[in-house]
Amino acid sequence: MRALLWLASIIAASALAFALGGYATDVYRKMLVWIALALSYNFLFGVAGQIAFSQFAFAGVGAYGVVILSYKLGLPFGVALVGAIALCALLAFIVAVPSTRLEGFYLALATLAFAQLFLVVVNEGGELTGGTGGIAGYKLPEVFGIALRGPWYTVVLVLLVALTLHLLLRLERSSFGRACRAIKANPAVAAAMGIDVRRTKVITFTLTSTLAGLAGAAYAYVDNVINPPVFGLDNIFMLLFMIIVGGMGRPAGAIVGAVLLYLAPFVLEPIVGHAYLVLFGVLVVLAILFQPQGLIGLVDRLRPERRA
Amino acid sequence: MARRRFASALTFAMALLAGTAAAQAQDVVKIGVITDRVGSGKFYAEPVTRGIELGAKMINEKGGVLGKKIQLIIEDDQNKPDVSAAKARKLVDDGVVVIMSNTGSPATQQAQTVSLETKTPHLTPANSADTLTTQLDNPWFFQTGPLASIQLATLMTYTKARGFKKVAIVRDNSALSQSFAESFRKGLDGVGIETALEEVIPQGATSAVANLQKVRAAKVDAILQAGILGPEMLQFFRAYQQLGMKEPILGSYNLSIPAYLTMAKDLMEGVVFVDAYDETKPEAKAFRDIYVKDYKEEPSSLPAYGWDGIHLVAQAIEKAGSLDKEKVRTAIAATTGFSGAIGAKGSSWGFRNGSRSGFDPQGAVVRIIKNNQHGPVVHSGQK
Amino acid sequence: MDDFLELTVSAMASGCIYGLMALAYLIVLRPTSIINFAIGEWAATGAFVGVGMLSTLAWPHFEGPYILAVVAVVVVLGLLGWVVERLTVRPLLRRGAAVTSPILALLGVLVIFRESLTLIYGADPLPSPPPFGFRRIEIGPFAGASQQFFIIAVTLSLFVAVWLFFERTVWGRAFEAVALNRRAAALMGINLGRVTALAFAAGASVAGLAGLLMSPLTSAHYMMGLPLAIQGFTALVIGGVGRVEGALLGGLILAFVEQLGARYLPIPSGLTLAFPFALLILFLLLRPTGLIAPREAR
């Protein structure tokens, strides 16, 4: 039954790809990437309680990694993709091992520093990274002889979201997920219960950052252009806001938050111009003050059954 | 549960957006403009957009294009490259014949992927990055802004008599500035001038004293200013003054942006910069008169780019005789001898030899800042 | 050598600004354990209030004397800090929420302030008039801009005043008591709400002053907040979160590393941008308590 539901949703989301015009497809695709990022970020932040600002940096590692390896260095696409993901995992691990010793906002700032360093490296990377102008003009190479273009690439993104969601749901319901929640609630108690706190934290950080890298690699082929601004600071605030407003700790919350905050500017901008950002800030403050479970918590209140 | 909720919410939201694919109306000519109203590119994008608006208004008053009125559809991309691409797609869905990009070069570059894919004529009236027409092989994209390489060459011709052998480049860490610095460097190499060092004043810096001390220590003959960001530019000029430096400063066309004169008041005396606007040119005078009448203030050079851009587009559509995008593209590509408000006296736009960069290599001028004003033209072209 | 001495003045001035930002963090952090990342935007607000008071560009009203601007910044920012505390922080603290909640709420406040500044003042950088012009001053072997010396003088005075406040006054001791043990302090009759409100107001005022002092050098613009917030936090981490002196020390060290590195290290200028972040990471990992250890409970 559950599998059928999954299949139906995936087909519905993919079918949508074939029905949309150029602009709507662009919005839909980028929204899917944001949803994927929100899902992994939500696990890191909402479930495991680690506030980090490096999610977009790792997306950048994935994006730049796959493009540089395949387009600039000429490696076969499969190798490039695997290489980029591996690089992501490695870097995430290197960052995670010392940083997970830090508590709360100190972790956030260490990851912020890492994210800024990533930007400096990319900006000053000269020919290899394209500097501040980025890299353009590449195309997604044929995979097994199929060229994934147009709506078919959107389907790829749908599958990316489905995969990320599936993985994170499994993780959350496993003993690993319980361990993460225990650590978030009270690390000392968790350790006393026999949980290896350090190891769990490092694995969580590495895993979610690698998922971010995967989303980043997928993003690289949406516009076939990558440049530094997309992986900068403004977007990580937006991602954090999505999780807070949507509902921390719940994948559904991440999805709701991502869809809402991604689409809202398109609707609001013609009306209030840039001021929609003030609205987001206010929403975040309101959410934390009055509805920490986010919008998804609101929905739950209205539907008293379910949600074991 | 989660997925179903997601899918239905998504469909609803998409329904709102899917209805934007409007059929091309038969009684207007839709031209798309991408500008920046609030972000980091506002101070150069908005003036250009103003010029386009003024130009469109004038063209409409004279009967429009092919008997139809021009309708400008203006989108704000916040100078963010991925938003720029999205807005370009929106404009295409809205049925525009031509897209005009006024924001930063990186944003224009990402929007290019859209014009290439949707086969829509795409013009940037003011962007100056050399790589815009070379990084992507996009036959639909045209650039009439003064290329950084042309700017440098013009500067060098003017200063040839001074015999500079060694210079320093100062820039900030924005994308456009880095691109300028790169073009400057290439140009300098080409004429055998050594770039002794390249100093970066990063966004958020609180002092440029260290950078300029290094420049002073290198004992260069001149400093090339490739900066874009206001506050960082201000610090450059402050440190320069504080250190009592005397090396001549040569600036890019960014120094023609009036906002700097206000921000760095009394600090830019004697600075030499490149521009593409000669107030004494008849077309420039005519443009100025119309601008002053409408906006009640003096124009800088920026609106003139927009003015010329929209006129060029209108002329091409007239020549094409139809709103078919391919015909318009061909007409644009065949433009030569277009003399506008921009450019030195005697220069003209034209896409020669299949190049999609149309700024006349002889079209840049050199001016000097005097009394917190952009002084008169002291040199034209590269002769 | 002359270069070095002149650079010293510049680095000291920048270091003072970073130190002020670190102080703004510290004043809030000590009694509440809350890291108020919004102080960057409060510094920007201070800069704009200053421009509004001093120049006809932002508001075509008047050009007032400098002391008026200082008073305006302190008062306005103090009020804003107090309001923010009341509206967004106090309800959370009262509820016993974990400290991450107010921190996140303050990120929302950050965005609100930044966008509001754009909406009110526009997106262009505005020049901010300095009180003593921009003459080059030479004091002994040191040389620098008059504004830089002014910044140093004001910052040192302010730090002395704050230090005296914490060490010598009853209110200051109350702060310390709350910082050491909230519950015990409450039991001793210290009004926690008032201390928290005062902490936020004072922190906001200090940040506003930092913005006001810096803006003649860099102009007032809506994007100046975030870099300042990051620089201030780096200074705090380096210097140590426990003591007022640590904030200034951290700021000075950061500035000196930045500027001396930019001047004397033989690496491409673009890469010197990495220094502050590398320094932050280094300290976070190796010595998170900073250089000056916090005061131990007596």
Side-chain angles (χ1 to χ4, degrees):
Chain A
M1 179 53 208
R2 186 151 268 172
L4 216 58
L5 202 58
W6 272 93
L7 198 59
S9 309
I10 293 177
I11 292 181
S14 308
L16 192 57
F18 291 88
L20 299 174
Y23 178 52
T25 298
D26 191 75
V27 174
Y28 187 40
R29 283 181 178 182
K30 287 177 180 159
M31 188 183 76
L32 287 171
V33 174
W34 275 86
I35 293 175
L37 284 169
L39 282 170
S40 55
Y41 193 52
N42 173 61
F43 190 87
L44 181 65
F45 172 50
V47 174
Q50 299 184 38
I51 313 180
F53 283 152
S54 50
Q55 205 71 353
F56 269 97
F58 286 108
V61 172
Y64 271 94
V66 72
V67 171
I68 291 178
L69 288 175
S70 65
Y71 181 65
K72 290 259 174 185
L73 300 181
L75 296 175
F77 181 70
V79 175
L81 185 59
V82 170
I85 303 298
L87 180 64
C88 229
L90 182 65
L91 269 175
F93 184 75
I94 294 176
V95 171
V97 168
S99 325
T100 47
R101 269 193 298 143
L102 299 169
E103 286 309 320
F105 213 62
Y106 287 89
L107 169 69
L109 278 128
T111 51
L112 180 76
F114 169 74
Q116 296 287 87
L117 270 176
F118 170 73
L119 281 178
V120 172
V121 166
V122 164
N123 273 324
E124 304 293 323
E127 265 307 306
L128 189 64
T129 63
T132 49
I135 310 179
Y138 54 89
K139 264 190 170 26
L140 181 65
E142 306 202 341
V143 181
F144 304 125
I146 314 170
L148 291 162
R149 304 265 184 271
W152 287 109
Y153 192 69
T154 315
V155 175
V156 169
L157 293 174
V158 171
L159 291 174
L160 170 74
V161 171
L163 175 69
T164 309
L165 179 62
H166 178 77
L167 214 76
L168 291 172
L169 275 175
R170 293 280 304 266
L171 209 61
E172 205 192 328
R173 288 170 187 161
S174 71
S175 57
F176 184 82
R178 283 196 290 280
C180 287
R181 286 194 196 275
I183 295 174
K184 179 185 181 192
N186 194 326
V189 170
M193 292 198 321
I195 297 175
D196 187 339
V197 174
R198 273 307 285 294
R199 200 176 76 116
T200 312
K201 279 183 159 186
V202 170
I203 294 179
T204 309
F205 189 87
T206 310
L207 190 66
T208 53
S209 302
T210 310
L211 282 172
L214 190 62
Y219 172 78
Y221 295 99
V222 171
D223 275 337
N224 288 329
V225 171
I226 44 171
N227 39 44
V230 138
F231 305 112
L233 264 188
D234 289 317
N235 281 341
I236 193 69
F237 276 152
M238 186 62 117
L239 197 63
L240 188 60
F241 289 178
M242 286 175 176
I243 311 281
I244 294 175
V245 170
M248 299 184 257
R250 306 258 301 276
I255 296 176
V256 166
V259 172
L260 191 71
L261 288 197
Y262 186 74
L263 293 179
F266 293 103
V267 174
L268 293 174
E269 217 188 321
I271 310 173
V272 295
H274 220 230
Y276 70 82
L277 282 167
V278 178
L279 181 66
F280 285 2
V282 170
L283 275 179
V284 166
V285 174
L286 289 177
I288 297 194
L289 281 177
F290 301 118
Q291 183 64 11
Q293 282 80 43
L295 284 173
I296 218 72
L298 258 182
V299 175
D300 275 351
R301 272 203 220 162
L302 302 173
R303 297 165 65 236
E305 9 73 78
R306 303 186 129 264
R307 222 23 177 113
Chain B
M1 17 90 232
R3 293 238 88 217
R4 195 194 272 147
R5 211 184 290 147
F6 153 65
S8 58
L10 185 58
T11 322
F12 174 73
M14 281 301 126
L16 287 177
L17 288 163
T20 56
Q24 206 166 319
Q26 298 297 28
D27 51 351
V28 287
V29 175
K30 291 189 190 168
I31 305 219
V33 179
I34 300 181
T35 183
D36 182 358
R37 297 232 134 103
V38 222
S40 50
K42 174 185 173 239
F43 62 101
Y44 52 80
E46 274 296 273
V48 177
T49 305
R50 253 192 173 187
I52 296 180
E53 286 171 325
L54 187 63
K57 183 163 155 221
M58 286 297 127
I59 296 175
N60 283 346
E61 274 176 21
K62 297 211 182 101
V65 177
L66 298 177
K68 308 185 197 172
K69 296 255 183 276
I70 294 181
Q71 180 191 6
L72 293 177
I73 305 183
I74 303 182
E75 294 288 345
D76 183 345
D77 73 348
Q78 301 167 42
N79 206 19
K80 289 191 180 146
D82 59 327
V83 177
S84 205
K87 297 292 179 170
R89 280 191 204 279
K90 178 155 193 270
L91 288 172
V92 171
D93 275 3
D94 284 345
V96 301
V97 179
V98 176
I99 301 175
M100 295 180 75
S101 270
N102 295 342
T103 57
S105 293
T108 303
Q109 186 221 52
Q110 192 145 347
Q112 269 202 65
T113 59
V114 174
S115 54
L116 177 61
E117 194 190 300
T118 60
K119 300 200 178 27
T120 308
H122 188 185
L123 173 72
T124 176
N127 284 151
S128 58
D130 279 72
T131 50
L132 281 176
T133 49
T134 56
Q135 194 175 21
L136 207 56
D137 187 17
N138 182 357
W140 296 86
F141 177 77
F142 298 90
Q143 174 181 23
T144 49
L147 298 184
S149 52
I150 296 179
Q151 291 184 38
L152 181 74
T154 311
L155 264 179
M156 288 299 109
T157 332
Y158 170 70
T159 57
K160 203 162 37 172
R162 325 248 324 241
F164 295 146
K165 296 263 185 323
K166 199 164 79 158
V167 300
I169 299 180
V170 175
R171 65 170 172 93
D172 54 58
N173 63 342
S174 69
L176 187 55
S177 186
Q178 198 190 57
S179 150
F180 254 103
E182 221 174 277
S183 296
F184 277 7
R185 204 184 256 271
K186 279 207 191 93
L188 290 165
D189 282 347
V191 292
I193 299 180
E194 181 200 340
T195 307
L197 78 163
E198 185 174 318
E199 281 297 304
V200 181
I201 304 176
Q203 193 170 14
T206 52
S207 169
V209 169
N211 304 87
L212 283 186
Q213 277 186 349
K214 222 168 156 186
V215 169
R216 182 168 64 177
K219 298 210 185 347
V220 294
D221 300 322
I223 303 174
L224 255 64
Q225 236 293 356
I228 313 283
L229 301 173
E232 286 65 33
M233 182 89 92
L234 176 62
Q235 289 181 70
F236 164 82
F237 282 110
R238 286 231 178 281
Y240 180 88
Q241 187 202 46
Q242 179 188 324
L243 294 175
M245 290 171 72
K246 297 274 180 289
E247 292 85 331
I249 300 175
L250 310 176
S252 69
Y253 81 145
N254 284 296
L255 292 188
S256 69
I257 297 171
Y260 292 145
L261 289 175
T262 325
M263 212 179 41
K265 194 153 171 285
D266 297 331
L267 290 173
M268 292 169 68
E269 193 68 17
V271 169
V272 172
F273 68 102
V274 180
D275 200 354
Y277 187 64
D278 186 344
E279 291 165 329
T280 59
K281 192 178 175 195
E283 291 90 342
K285 266 222 197 79
F287 158 73
R288 179 208 164 267
D289 291 337
I290 299 177
Y291 189 94
V292 169
K293 202 160 70 125
D294 240 67
Y295 290 126
K296 312 276 183 291
E297 61 177 22
E298 290 287 334
S300 65
S301 58
L302 290 169
Y305 291 100
W307 169 270
D308 277 357
I310 189 76
H311 277 93
L312 197 148
V313 165
Q315 185 188 292
I317 298 178
E318 282 282 359
K319 223 164 43 156
S322 94
L323 297 178
D324 174 71
K325 289 196 219 174
E326 173 60 54
K327 292 210 177 96
V328 171
R329 191 207 79 84
T330 318
I332 296 179
T335 307
T336 52
F338 181 97
S339 185
I342 284 292
K345 279 203 209 125
S347 71
S348 61
W349 305 122
F351 300 104
R352 306 171 181 89
N353 308 321
S355 161
R356 287 174 288 108
S357 164
F359 190 82
D360 189 337
Q362 304 300 330
V365 300
V366 175
R367 302 165 75 170
I368 304 186
I369 296 180
K370 282 211 174 338
N371 298 327
N372 290 315
Q373 296 289 338
H374 294 134
V377 171
V378 295
H379 176 86
S380 288
Q382 296 182 39
K383 304 233 168 40
Chain C
M1 197 47 189
D2 288 332
D3 263 9
F4 179 72
L5 293 171
E6 184 146 18
L7 197 56
T8 305
V9 174
S10 166
M12 279 200 67
S14 296
C16 284
I17 299 290
Y18 299 158
L20 284 176
M21 296 302 291
L23 182 65
Y25 275 116
L26 193 136
I27 294 177
V28 173
L29 186 63
R30 287 286 285 158
T32 66
S33 300
I34 297 174
I35 300 181
N36 180 5
F37 216 48
I39 58 160
E41 308 311 317
W42 287 350
T45 309
F48 277 106
V49 168
V51 170
M53 292 273 107
L54 293 171
S55 106
T56 51
L57 276 176
W59 271 330
H61 285 164
F62 53 48
E63 288 189 27
Y66 199 73
I67 191 72
L68 193 65
V70 174
V71 168
V73 165
V74 169
V75 167
V76 170
L77 267 299
L79 258 163
L80 285 172
W82 185 80
V83 165
V84 165
E85 192 270 333
R86 284 240 82 188
L87 287 182
T88 65
V89 175
R90 180 136 2 153
L92 291 169
L93 288 181
R94 203 172 280 160
R95 214 181 293 165
V99 91
T100 46
S101 297
I103 294 181
L104 292 173
L106 286 167
L107 288 182
V109 168
L110 188 166
V111 169
I112 295 175
F113 265 87
R114 174 152 46 140
E115 294 310 314
S116 304
L117 282 176
T118 324
L119 291 172
I120 301 173
Y121 289 103
D124 297 323
L126 296 176
S128 173
F132 296 109
F134 271 109
R135 295 187 304 279
R136 181 194 159 87
I137 296 185
E138 292 179 14
I139 298 183
F142 298 98
S146 44
Q147 182 67 9
Q148 288 171 341
F149 283 109
F150 181 64
I151 292 176
I152 298 173
V154 170
T155 306
L156 287 177
S157 323
L158 190 63
F159 264 92
V160 168
V162 171
W163 189 88
L164 283 174
F165 173 79
F166 280 131
E167 291 288 311
R168 297 288 142 87
T169 68
V170 174
W171 268 106
R173 299 284 193 70
F175 261 72
E176 268 304 300
V178 174
L180 288 170
N181 191 327
R182 263 185 100 82
R183 195 166 291 166
L187 285 175
M188 291 200 344
I190 294 177
N191 186 331
L192 285 182
R194 219 175 273 171
V195 168
T196 313
L198 188 60
F200 268 83
S205 294
V206 170
L209 275 176
L212 176 68
L213 285 172
M214 196 179 87
S215 55
L217 294 174
T218 60
S219 79
H221 63 288
Y222 76 100
M223 292 201 286
M224 66 192 278
L226 206 54
L228 275 176
I230 300 178
Q231 287 154 347
F233 193 82
T234 310
L236 184 71
V237 167
I238 294 175
V241 305
R243 308 270 283 271
V244 164
E245 315 88 271
L248 187 57
L249 181 68
L252 290 172
I253 291 179
L254 175 62
F256 270 88
V257 167
E258 261 183 354
Q259 297 195 20
L260 289 179
R263 173 67 184 91
Y264 293 110
L265 281 182
I267 58 173
S269 182
L271 291 178
T272 59
L273 314 183
F275 284 171
F277 304 116
L279 212 64
L280 177 61
I281 293 180
L282 212 69
F283 268 85
L284 279 175
L285 298 181
L286 296 180
R287 209 189 152 94
T289 50
L291 289 176
I292 300 186
R295 169 167 294 135
E296 298 300 326
R298 277 177 233 162

